[in-house]
Amino acid sequence: MSDLTVTVEPGRQDIVITRTFDAPRDVVFRAMTEPEHLARWWGLDETDTVVDRAEVRPGGTWRFVEKAADGEEYAFHGVFHDVVAPERIVQTFEFEGMPGHVAMDTHMLEEKDGRTLYRAISVFQTVEDRDGMVSSGMEEGLAQSLDALEGLARGLA
Amino acid sequence: MSDLTVTVEPGRQDIVITRTFDAPRDVVFRAMTEPEHLARWWGLDETDTVVDRAEVRPGGTWRFVEKAADGEEYAFHGVFHDVVAPERIVQTFEFEGMPGHVAMDTHMLEEKDGRTLYRAISVFQTVEDRDGMVSSGMEEGLAQSLDALEGLARGLA
């Protein structure tokens, strides 16, 4: 069981996420930014994620496609504002099934005694968009993704 | 006197801006996106704005430097997530004097009877960042910029 917290306060436009990874910060950052690793932890366990683009640098764009067993595809894309190794990534996020609704995600990594404290803030254009993301079941997918990310990072350490 | 509204509700992370421009949408969009026009309306009346970069396309980056009469320089940069002519721009925004504090701005244009309804939402990583932007005097600068944008757009029409 991880120490994942997902904070969604009524009336706000953000989701705040914290989790400790049992791996050093530099390998967590590598797993989060190197295209060959991204597809392995991103998305739900039961879907296959295909990395269409992952230009992990300021101004680079990214696009991932999740392929479900029933053949459905769910695509996501965005652009990187900041990629500051090994501590911070700021990027936009759009689910292509809801075009025009864009979030901005800030991922922050802090090292503590060989472990990594992860904190993320997603901000949405409206409270309704934020609530829609929460009600889409994002928390379960997030928990799965971050478990997979930790496992991958431990393997890289 | 313009019909500018700037809405800042306590405890939220956004600033919502509306204004009508007395010019058609396509020319307002051109004035907002063509690099040769950007420097002319962006920023305070008493500063000179230099466009360092303005790659106005998804994944493009922008950087503007405001030069004050006393020699001080204030630089801003970000990246474009969406540029959908003539209706919508989504971009990130960072003041280099406060590195790491990033906002996401959504600019929306709607045409009505030859005039243009402009609506913008800026969302910040925290309420504190939002409040800091408001207390920096952004509203006066914004009013000046949007007046200049309208004047420029009317000249292009």
Side-chain angles (χ1 to χ4, degrees):
Chain A
M1 199 63 188
S2 80
D3 65 353
L4 175 67
T5 70
V6 179
T7 304
V8 179
E9 290 184 13
R12 285 178 63 101
Q13 281 148 281
D14 63 359
I15 300 172
V16 179
I17 295 156
T18 65
R19 192 190 191 286
T20 307
F21 294 119
D22 188 18
R25 180 167 73 162
D26 60 335
V27 294
V28 174
F29 190 84
R30 283 182 53 206
M32 290 180 70
T33 53
E34 294 181 0
E36 67 268 35
H37 303 310
L38 279 165
R40 294 176 56 199
W41 65 265
W42 209 87
L44 298 170
D45 289 349
E46 69 264 29
T47 61
D48 280 331
T49 299
V50 174
V51 172
D52 181 23
R53 284 194 308 278
E55 306 158 345
V56 189
R57 54 175 169 73
T61 63
W62 66 271
R63 184 172 187 270
F64 299 166
V65 182
E66 279 199 74
K67 301 190 182 207
D70 63 5
E72 284 291 321
E73 296 192 350
Y74 306 90
F76 306 83
H77 74 267
V79 58
F80 292 99
H81 172 92
D82 253 354
V83 180
V84 184
E87 65 195 53
R88 199 159 52 90
I89 301 164
V90 181
Q91 67 193 97
T92 59
F93 176 100
E94 181 171 350
F95 168 44
E96 294 180 8
M98 287 185 63
H101 297 264
V102 187
M104 183 176 73
D105 298 336
T106 304
H107 306 275
M108 292 159 281
L109 300 176
E110 195 181 328
E111 187 156 283
K112 194 165 181 182
D113 306 325
R115 291 158 64 90
T116 302
L117 309 182
Y118 169 70
R119 190 162 169 270
I121 304 175
S122 294
V123 288
F124 296 78
Q125 289 156 318
T126 63
V127 177
E128 293 67 33
D129 280 2
R130 195 276 312 255
D131 291 347
M133 173 63 86
V134 172
S135 67
S136 76
M138 60 81 69
E139 189 165 343
E140 188 187 342
L142 178 73
Q144 290 179 7
S145 288
L146 297 182
D147 287 351
L149 171 60
E150 180 176 57
L152 182 62
R154 290 176 69 164
L156 294 175
Chain B
M1 199 64 188
S2 81
D3 65 351
L4 175 67
T5 70
V6 179
T7 305
V8 179
E9 289 185 12
R12 286 179 63 102
Q13 282 149 279
D14 62 0
I15 300 172
V16 177
I17 295 155
T18 66
R19 192 189 190 288
T20 307
F21 294 119
D22 187 19
R25 180 167 73 162
D26 59 334
V27 293
V28 174
F29 191 83
R30 282 181 54 204
M32 290 180 71
T33 53
E34 294 181 0
E36 66 269 34
H37 303 309
L38 280 166
R40 294 176 56 199
W41 64 266
W42 209 87
L44 298 170
D45 288 349
E46 69 263 29
T47 62
D48 279 330
T49 300
V50 174
V51 172
D52 181 23
R53 285 194 307 279
E55 306 157 346
V56 188
R57 54 173 169 74
T61 62
W62 64 273
R63 183 172 188 269
F64 298 166
V65 182
E66 277 200 74
K67 301 190 182 208
D70 63 4
E72 284 291 320
E73 295 192 352
Y74 305 90
F76 305 82
H77 74 265
V79 59
F80 292 98
H81 172 91
D82 253 353
V83 180
V84 183
E87 64 194 55
R88 199 159 53 89
I89 302 165
V90 181
Q91 68 191 97
T92 59
F93 176 100
E94 180 171 350
F95 168 44
E96 294 180 8
M98 287 186 61
H101 297 264
V102 186
M104 183 175 73
D105 297 336
T106 304
H107 305 275
M108 292 160 280
L109 299 176
E110 196 180 328
E111 187 157 282
K112 195 166 180 182
D113 305 325
R115 291 159 63 91
T116 302
L117 309 181
Y118 169 70
R119 190 163 169 269
I121 304 174
S122 294
V123 289
F124 296 79
Q125 290 155 319
T126 63
V127 177
E128 294 69 32
D129 281 3
R130 195 278 311 256
D131 291 347
M133 173 63 85
V134 172
S135 66
S136 76
M138 60 78 72
E139 189 165 342
E140 188 187 342
L142 178 73
Q144 289 179 9
S145 290
L146 297 182
D147 287 351
L149 171 59
E150 180 176 55
L152 182 62
R154 290 176 70 164
L156 293 174

